[in-house]
Amino acid sequence: MGSICFGQETKTEEKEKPLVEFEADSVTLDSDLKLNTYSGNVNLKTDLLTIKNAERIIYDNITKQIIATGYEEFSIDGEIQFSGKGKMKRLRYTLGESIAYLE
């Protein structure tokens, strides 16, 4: 009794880097910790998340995590929207994921 196996080589496409754009009054770069701190009227846009007029956003270049505080408005995938100052003080999001956490 024998067996036959078939296989096909497939090429894996390189995953594109997620789009992330920042706009702020000032930026502080910490090359040791690989953190970028954006302060003052911070706007952020990714493929999924848009944040407007945050007081501060910290971006971790290693984990790709974004932490926003003092935001006035955000939307996720253009569907879920929030505006105004709420009880949630912090928004946490990792590039490439489909979930943002409000804390």
Side-chain angles (χ1 to χ4, degrees):
M1 183 170 209
S3 63
I4 300 173
C5 296
F6 294 96
Q8 180 178 355
E9 184 177 343
T10 58
K11 293 183 180 181
T12 56
E13 294 181 24
E14 279 190 41
K15 192 174 184 179
E16 289 184 29
K17 287 185 178 180
L19 165 75
V20 61
E21 298 174 359
F22 293 92
E23 182 180 296
D25 292 341
S26 67
V27 179
T28 304
L29 306 174
D30 185 328
S31 57
D32 293 333
L33 296 175
K34 307 287 189 240
L35 295 176
N36 301 354
T37 302
Y38 301 87
S39 301
N41 299 311
V42 186
N43 295 312
L44 170 135
K45 181 165 177 51
T46 72
D47 293 335
L48 184 73
L49 178 69
T50 301
I51 299 173
K52 294 183 180 177
N53 298 320
E55 291 173 9
R56 182 172 67 177
I57 293 179
I58 299 172
Y59 176 66
D60 187 321
N61 288 286
I62 296 171
T63 65
K64 306 299 182 209
Q65 188 173 79
I66 294 165
I67 297 175
T69 56
Y71 49 86
E72 290 183 12
E73 185 177 326
F74 73 87
S75 64
I76 299 174
D77 203 18
E79 299 293 323
I80 300 170
Q81 298 182 356
F82 170 87
S83 77
K85 299 280 184 182
K87 291 184 179 182
M88 301 303 180
K89 304 292 184 199
R90 192 167 93 145
L91 182 144
R92 184 170 43 92
Y93 172 71
T94 302
L95 286 178
E97 291 187 359
S98 58
I99 298 172
Y101 300 91
L102 299 175
E103 303 168 329

